[in-house]
């Protein structure tokens, strides 16, 4: 098994601008392909913008979010794309990640741990997921999580015990700015890498 070249696409999506955010994703996808990436990863809720808050109570917005992801998938060829979006469900919606491969949505991961403290109010808007997503890209098994999932030690330990050996953990994250948080995140991620 060789190296895997991953493009990390840190964008600045506009909340509610589904078409504009999708256009930005396509533009960066092309750039990543020219750079030789084998996978491109966008942020949590990159398609609809973060945080969408009460837009998530609008069924038409959720439907449009999903339709935008389907159209985005049609433009994704050559390398897999991972991007966060608001996914409509029968119970409301999920904070989800779409895995886009060769023109299709080949998989979806739904955030399990929904923070509800400080500036976070995700339990108001989202239903939690309960299934694991493992990607197989060029011989690498990669687990996918979203933001708070990586902070939940028991969940992550349980997840890793069920997967068998993986070569990486992809975590899509979006958070408001917090002074001094970078060193806390680096320490947490170092611990997760050791796990």
């Amino acid at each position: 098994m060789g190296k895997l070249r991953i493009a990390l696409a840190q964008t600045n999506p506009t909340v509610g601008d589904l078409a504009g955010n999708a256009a930005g994703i396509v533009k960066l996808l092309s750039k990543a392909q020219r750079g030789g990436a084998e996978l491109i990863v966008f942020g949590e809720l990159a398609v609809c913008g973060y945080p969408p808050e009460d837009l998530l109570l609008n069924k038409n917005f959720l439907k449009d979010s999903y339709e935008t992801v389907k159209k985005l998938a049609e433009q994704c060829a050559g390398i897999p794309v991972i991007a966060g979006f608001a996914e409509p469900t029968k119970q409301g919606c999920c904070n989800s990640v779409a895995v886009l491969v060769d023109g299709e949505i080949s998989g979806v991961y739904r955030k399990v741990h929904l923070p509800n403290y400080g500036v976070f109010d995700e339990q108001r808007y989202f239903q939690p997921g309960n299934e694991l997503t493992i990607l197989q890209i060029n011989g690498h098994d990669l687990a996918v999580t979203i933001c708070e999932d990586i902070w939940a030690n028991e969940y992550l330990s349980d997840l890793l015990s069920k997967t068998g050996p993986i070569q990486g953990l992809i975590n899509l994250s979006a958070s408001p700015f917090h002074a001094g948080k970078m060193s806390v995140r680096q320490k947490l991620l170092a611990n997760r890498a050791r796990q």
Side-chain angles (χ1 to χ4, degrees):
M1 176 181 359
K3 294 179 182 178
L4 179 62
R5 190 175 176 110
I6 302 173
L8 301 177
Q10 183 174 342
T11 62
N12 188 20
T14 300
V15 172
D17 185 7
L18 299 168
N21 296 338
I25 288 170
V26 170
K27 183 177 178 182
L28 288 174
L29 168 62
S30 298
K31 185 176 180 180
Q33 286 176 304
R34 289 191 305 273
E38 299 164 277
L39 169 67
I40 185 167
V41 179
F42 291 88
E44 178 182 11
L45 298 173
V47 173
C48 63
Y50 179 92
E53 296 185 342
D54 284 358
L55 279 173
L56 299 170
L57 303 176
N58 183 322
K59 290 182 181 179
N60 289 327
F61 177 76
L62 293 174
K63 180 177 171 262
D64 291 346
S65 174
Y66 186 72
E67 291 301 317
T68 299
V69 172
K70 284 180 18 183
K71 290 177 187 170
L72 188 59
E74 294 170 4
Q75 299 177 67
C76 295
I79 64 172
V81 173
I82 299 175
F85 75 110
E87 179 189 19
T89 66
K90 290 179 183 175
Q91 295 77 29
C93 71
C94 288
N95 182 341
S96 299
V97 169
V99 180
L100 311 176
V101 180
D102 293 329
E104 296 181 0
I105 301 172
S106 71
V108 173
Y109 172 81
R110 296 167 185 95
K111 188 174 183 177
V112 174
H113 288 274
L114 303 173
N116 221 47
Y117 56 86
V119 297
F120 302 105
D121 195 16
E122 291 195 19
Q123 291 176 18
R124 176 179 180 198
Y125 300 109
F126 296 114
Q127 299 297 313
N130 61 7
E131 294 181 25
L132 176 63
T133 298
I134 301 288
L135 304 176
Q136 295 179 329
I137 299 175
N138 296 345
H140 296 82
D141 290 330
L142 308 170
V144 177
T145 60
I146 302 174
C147 200
E148 191 77 9
D149 294 337
I150 204 166
W151 292 81
N153 189 42
E154 280 185 30
Y155 164 73
L156 205 57
S157 295
D158 187 49
L159 179 147
L160 295 172
S161 71
K162 292 176 183 174
T163 64
I166 60 171
Q167 287 71 53
L169 177 67
I170 297 172
N171 180 266
L172 283 71
S173 187
S175 293
F177 178 77
H178 183 146
K181 192 76 174 237
M182 188 59 72
S183 62
V184 174
R185 288 185 177 125
Q186 287 172 336
K187 184 176 179 182
L188 171 81
L189 294 174
N191 287 335
R192 294 300 178 250
R194 281 190 287 277
Q195 280 183 274

